[in-house]
Amino acid sequence: MKNVLLLGLACLFLTNQTLEAQKKNKKKKSQQETTAPAKKPKNGIKSYTEVITKDAKTDDGIFKVHQVNDAYFYEIPFTNLNQDMLWVSRIAQIPNGLGGGYVNAGSKTNEQVVHWERFQNKILLKIKSYVNVAEEGKAIRNSVKVNNYEPILYAFDIKTFSKDSTAAVIDVTKFFTSDVPAISGLSARLRKTYKVKKLDGDRSFINSVKSFPKNIEVKQDFTYVASEPPTEGRAETISLQMNQSMILLPEKPMQPRIYDPRVGFFTVSQYDFGSKELKADYKTYIRRWRLEPKDPEAYARGELVEPIKPIVYYLDPGTPEELQKYIKQGIEDWQKPFETAGFKNAIIAKDAPTPEEDPDFSPEDIRYSVVRYVASTTRNAVGPSVSDPRSGEIIESDIIWYHNHLRSYRNRYLLETAAANPSARTLDTPADEIGEMMRMFIAHEVGHALGFPHNMAASYAYPVDSLRNGAFTQKNGIAASIMDYARYNYVAQPGDENIRFIRQMGPYDHYATNWGYRYLPEASSPAEEVPTLDQWILAKANDPVYKFGRQSSRFDPQSQTECIGDDPVLASTYGLKNLKYVAEHLPEWTSDQTNDYTDLEELYGELLGVYSRFTGHVTTTIGGVFENLKKPNQEGVVYSAVPKTQQQEAMRWLHKNVFNTPDWLLIKDALPNIDHAGYFETLRSVQARQLNALLSFDRLGRLIDNEEKGGYTAYDMLKELRAGLFTEAAQGKNVSLYRRNLQRSYVDRMQYLMTEEDKGYNYSRSGFESKLVYNINTSDVRALVRGELETLKRQLNAVKNNGSTLSRYHYKDLIARIDKLLAVD
């Protein structure tokens, strides 16, 4: 019995031990299950719910965008892979002074075509170029591809796949919070200027990501550590907000229109390696909006038809109330030229929607074109646009107006028109006239955004004296196009009546709009459009009103910035008459009214600039070459020198109005109140500007060309210039202070021609190919300069002991300078 009891107790003990061990093992196993690291998913790809958790906030659009806490994910459908998308980087908010005033909220910092591509378990964001192309299906397309390998902007790991396995999910957080140069708001130049050290990750973050049916908009707040920031220097910080727009480009590009240099358009270009030519065919297309008629049959009958998608511009919500109507008018002034092309209501101005009307509206959103009003002291405005490089189709544009630019317009209005225009003789320009200036300036910038560059020949279309005719100017304005730099009528004289002083739209604007935008459905390719387009040009070819002139005012008197009328000498004669009247009354209209010299000082400085422009228009005539763009089936040549008699007249004019001291510029009631000294240098600098322009390598090269043509030659010009500059030596007269300065400037410039090499200019913009570069040492330049200096030395030696003490000192100094220059080492 005792043994049985002991056995029972032992079994009970063992049973308890077993049960306790089982409990401990179960508890241990449970702890292991909750604390042991999870097994890594195959290939690093997790389940959808592990990545896009129940806490995710999802925005559905072209891609689904998920926000999980501070992380952002793109869910990219496989159907969107390898599709062309336009990526545009803009500054959304900017610190004061960044970029010296020419960078602002809305400034585009980069524009590139990208596409998303899968490689194994990664999604690659690649930059795509359309510089080199070949038609699909041609063998050479393979060669184009392998010789134009696309750079990878970023590589993303695939985190998971969508529940239906039709899309890949990637984490874009690091990409949008890193300092990626291709989408940055700070260029290498700005980084160097402000000594930027790095992006501060703790102060940089994603502000918002919004997905729409065809685009995604991302706002990033970036803070950089910088030793010399533009403002708040002690903070050593630059903060700005960027907006990244990614928009799906049309699957089928718009049919391009082939560029013709006889009609002005901005362009996109490609090298077509699939061409039948014996080389890569360089193709250039115009940049324009896609306008297609809602009713093609009515359009074909010649009726005005609304476009399927009109061009819409929104006003910046920060636009001053008093200017809004003028900005809208400037935008919609282009409706009439579009009617010439067959479209009604083709361009529309709208107020920006309120947050209640559209909480997603943003001026940086690439779906919207906006007239941005920038609170900046910069005096400028621009009209950039974003286009599809495959076809030239303009996708979006922003007009940027800087607040202080209105002051520039007021000042120019006073200086250039006040002699004949009493309402301009004030610092308080009437509001309706300021509004009209704003309207026309916006129309000019909208023209750029529609694809039109400057047409500098439009102001040469009208005879100078017609600009003094009230009926003519009211009907035709002062230039044949709003795209010229012809802001004001400075030709009209006191007593001329009913004059229009402010520019307006012209006949060329209608012609160019029709040429670029008229819908031609019967043409199935760009090449098939050319015969029709060519006929339209030929029909207007001999009418200067429809001439396009590139911005090449270095050599063509027809295409000069700020010039009006078809005779620069006559126009500048009228302009100087007016400017002398303004100079005489400038204190009366400024400081006498304000009891302050600030405006007088500002306007005096700008008056010198106006004087330089008027005289520079005449300088261009000397060594000038007319450029009349044409094809071989048109009569005449493209380039022809300005007639000798006109160049000689221009030289006489310069001696009379520039080199013979223009002492009327030294306004006796102004200078003693705005500067303590330096009047002689003020005058010398405006004279030397035209002197140096005459004595330039490229002008001398063009004049040398004329020797065999019987035209005005470099020898003729140099001889007449020297004779006019040194009349005192020829006539035995004393030399005044201002003439002494001018004569020394002449010898200095001749030294430049003798010793410097012409390095030329690197123009990167179409229409600026006007610099002549040639071998100076083997040309006649140095021989001509040496000959003129030796002739001048003989002339000065004959009079060096005559005249006043200062005149004798001056002559001996010039002789010493020439001797040193001509000395043989």
Side-chain angles (χ1 to χ4, degrees), residues 413-641:
Y413 193 53
L414 186 154
L415 294 169
E416 295 185 22
T417 77
N421 180 15
S423 68
R425 299 169 187 172
T426 176
L427 296 174
D428 298 316
T429 310
D432 60 333
E433 294 176 38
I434 286 288
E436 181 69 4
M437 296 175 209
M438 168 66 91
R439 174 182 178 177
M440 291 303 134
F441 195 91
I442 292 297
H444 177 94
E445 296 304 330
V446 169
H448 286 321
L450 295 175
F452 302 118
H454 290 132
N455 177 7
M456 293 308 185
S459 54
Y460 200 84
Y462 298 153
V464 170
D465 281 329
S466 68
L467 301 174
R468 300 185 58 188
N469 183 304
F472 181 91
T473 58
Q474 292 297 338
K475 178 182 178 181
N476 301 289
I478 59 177
S481 172
I482 194 71
M483 300 314 299
D484 201 322
Y485 266 172
R487 292 180 173 89
Y488 299 115
N489 185 346
Y490 60 79
V491 163
Q493 297 294 293
D496 295 344
E497 297 179 353
N498 193 33
I499 298 295
R500 181 173 178 87
F501 290 98
I502 301 170
R503 60 182 168 176
Q504 65 182 29
M505 304 285 285
Y508 173 85
D509 303 314
H510 291 255
Y511 162 72
T513 303
N514 181 73
W515 191 91
Y517 279 93
R518 180 161 285 278
Y519 186 61
L520 298 174
E522 66 278 6
S524 60
S525 70
E528 288 184 13
E529 292 185 343
V530 171
T532 299
L533 299 172
D534 198 52
Q535 281 303 119
W536 291 347
I537 295 173
L538 293 176
K540 306 289 188 183
N542 296 319
D543 190 336
V545 165
Y546 303 105
K547 173 181 166 58
F548 172 69
R550 298 187 297 171
Q551 193 169 346
S552 53
S553 58
R554 291 181 64 86
F555 69 84
D556 186 359
Q558 299 172 113
S559 300
Q560 298 199 73
T561 180
E562 315 285 356
C563 189
I564 60 174
D566 64 350
D567 183 342
V569 171
L570 181 58
S572 291
T573 299
Y574 283 134
L576 288 194
K577 282 183 180 180
N578 288 336
L579 203 58
K580 289 176 182 178
Y581 181 92
V582 170
E584 183 181 348
H585 293 87
L586 197 57
E588 174 190 336
W589 299 337
T590 56
S591 54
D592 289 359
Q593 303 300 317
T594 63
N595 197 32
D596 189 296
Y597 290 119
T598 303
D599 289 294
L600 175 61
E601 182 175 5
E602 179 181 317
L603 280 159
Y604 178 72
E606 292 191 28
L607 181 143
L608 296 177
V610 173
Y611 170 81
S612 291
R613 279 193 294 273
F614 289 169
T615 54
H617 297 155
V618 177
T619 301
T620 303
T621 302
I622 299 172
V625 177
F626 293 129
E627 180 183 62
N628 294 297
L629 301 173
K630 56 184 65 181
K631 286 188 175 180
N633 64 345
Q634 295 175 255
E635 293 183 359
V637 298
V638 174
Y639 296 103
S640 57

Side-chain angles (χ1 to χ4, degrees), residues 315-328 351 371-376 400-406 431 434-435 438 442:
L315 265 63
D316 190 319
T319 305
E321 293 81 358
E322 67 275 11
L323 296 175
Q324 291 178 10
K325 72 173 183 178
Y326 298 110
I327 294 175
K328 289 179 180 178
D351 293 320
V371 178
R372 304 294 298 260
Y373 197 96
V374 181
S376 167
I400 300 172
W401 171 274
Y402 298 86
H403 178 71
N404 275 24
H405 203 32
L406 278 176
I434 286 288
M438 168 66 91
I442 292 297

Side-chain angles (χ1 to χ4, degrees), residues 664-716:
W664 59 272
L665 287 171
L666 303 174
I667 306 172
K668 62 180 184 303
D669 294 332
L671 287 184
N673 294 311
I674 62 177
D675 210 339
H676 71 291
Y679 311 149
F680 67 90
E681 177 58 23
T682 296
L683 210 55
R684 188 206 66 81
S685 64
V686 296
Q687 292 177 302
R689 179 175 298 180
Q690 303 312 319
L691 178 65
N692 293 344
L694 281 176
L695 298 174
S696 63
F697 287 123
D698 59 330
R699 193 179 311 277
L700 287 170
R702 294 194 298 272
L703 289 167
I704 288 171
D705 268 340
N706 289 339
E707 182 177 334
E708 297 300 318
K709 302 174 185 176
Y712 192 58
T713 67
Y715 173 74
D716 294 331

Side-chain angles (χ1 to χ4, degrees), residues 744-805:
R744 290 190 193 100
S745 294
Y746 167 82
V747 173
D748 281 351
R749 187 64 178 181
M750 296 294 268
Q751 178 180 354
Y752 167 85
L753 294 176
M754 279 291 288
T755 58
E756 293 296 317
E757 292 295 330
D758 182 17
K759 299 179 178 64
Y761 289 82
N762 181 22
Y763 291 116
S764 59
R765 292 170 58 191
S766 176
F768 286 79
E769 306 87 351
S770 58
K771 182 71 177 180
L772 171 63
V773 179
Y774 57 99
N775 190 316
I776 306 301
N777 288 324
T778 60
S779 74
D780 281 339
V781 169
R782 301 276 160 79
L784 287 166
V785 171
R786 183 180 297 277
E788 285 299 308
L789 289 174
E790 288 176 343
T791 300
L792 176 60
K793 178 184 174 182
R794 290 193 296 271
Q795 190 175 7
L796 296 176
N797 271 322
V799 296
K800 64 182 180 182
N801 296 316
N802 300 338
S804 67
T805 301

Side-chain angles (χ1 to χ4, degrees), residues 113-378:
V113 175
V114 301
H115 64 186
W116 302 85
E117 182 179 302
R118 183 177 178 181
F119 175 74
Q120 298 177 355
N121 288 323
K122 290 183 180 292
I123 296 293
L124 309 179
L125 179 60
K126 303 185 78 172
I127 300 172
K128 191 170 184 178
S129 171
Y130 278 93
V131 172
N132 299 315
V133 298
E135 188 179 333
E136 190 80 44
K138 291 191 174 183
I140 198 171
R141 185 179 176 88
N142 297 318
S143 179
V144 170
K145 183 177 181 180
V146 299
N147 285 286
N148 292 271
Y149 189 64
E150 299 163 350
I152 298 171
L153 181 59
Y154 209 85
F156 302 84
D157 292 326
I158 296 176
K159 298 299 183 183
T160 186
F161 296 104
S162 61
K163 292 179 180 179
D164 60 2
S165 298
T166 62
V169 178
I170 60 172
D171 186 343
V172 297
T173 312
K174 184 178 179 182
F175 174 64
F176 283 119
T177 55
S178 300
D179 192 12
V180 180
I183 62 172
S184 173
L186 291 182
S187 64
R189 180 184 65 82
L190 292 178
R191 291 168 189 262
K192 183 178 180 180
T193 299
Y194 302 122
K195 293 183 170 55
V196 174
K197 299 177 181 177
K198 65 175 182 176
L199 178 72
D200 187 341
D202 293 335
R203 292 183 287 170
S204 301
F205 50 88
I206 299 172
N207 186 289
S208 65
V209 184
K210 296 180 180 180
S211 188
F212 302 98
K214 291 188 177 180
N215 63 301
I216 294 179
E217 303 294 325
V218 180
K219 276 192 167 63
Q220 311 155 280
D221 285 83
F222 280 161
T223 294
Y224 295 87
V225 179
S227 299
E228 298 181 9
T231 55
E232 304 296 337
R234 295 179 66 179
E236 295 194 351
T237 291
I238 295 175
S239 292
L240 73 159
Q241 187 178 83
M242 289 296 297
N243 190 94
Q244 307 294 343
S245 296
M246 185 194 74
I247 186 170
L248 181 65
L249 288 172
E251 184 177 352
K252 182 180 179 181
M254 177 185 73
Q255 179 165 294
R257 181 154 293 179
I258 294 174
Y259 169 66
D260 190 311
R262 296 171 294 177
V263 184
F265 269 90
F266 293 125
T267 61
V268 296
S269 297
Q270 302 172 348
Y271 284 99
D272 183 1
F273 284 85
S275 168
K276 294 180 181 179
E277 302 289 335
L278 297 179
K279 63 180 180 61
D281 191 8
Y282 188 67
K283 292 182 176 178
T284 302
Y285 304 122
I286 68 172
R287 294 175 61 182
R288 57 179 181 152
W289 296 79
R290 185 191 295 236
L291 290 184
E292 298 169 339
K294 284 182 179 179
D295 186 343
E297 290 77 16
Y299 188 90
R301 292 194 300 268
E303 299 175 25
L304 291 180
V305 176
E306 290 187 342
I308 295 172
K309 184 180 179 182
I311 303 164
V312 178
Y313 277 95
Y314 292 90
L315 265 63
D316 190 319
T319 305
E321 293 81 358
E322 67 275 11
L323 296 175
Q324 291 178 10
K325 72 173 183 178
Y326 298 110
I327 294 175
K328 289 179 180 178
Q329 288 172 342
I331 295 167
E332 295 188 347
D333 277 337
W334 281 97
Q335 288 189 356
K336 289 296 183 183
F338 276 116
E339 288 178 8
T340 302
F343 294 100
K344 67 179 179 180
N345 300 323
I347 184 167
I348 301 168
K350 291 184 178 182
D351 293 320
T354 64
E356 293 73 25
E357 293 170 332
D358 184 356
D360 290 327
F361 178 85
S362 167
E364 289 78 37
D365 189 333
I366 201 167
R367 293 177 298 164
Y368 305 115
S369 295
V370 181
V371 178
R372 304 294 298 260
Y373 197 96
V374 181
S376 167
T377 57
T378 299

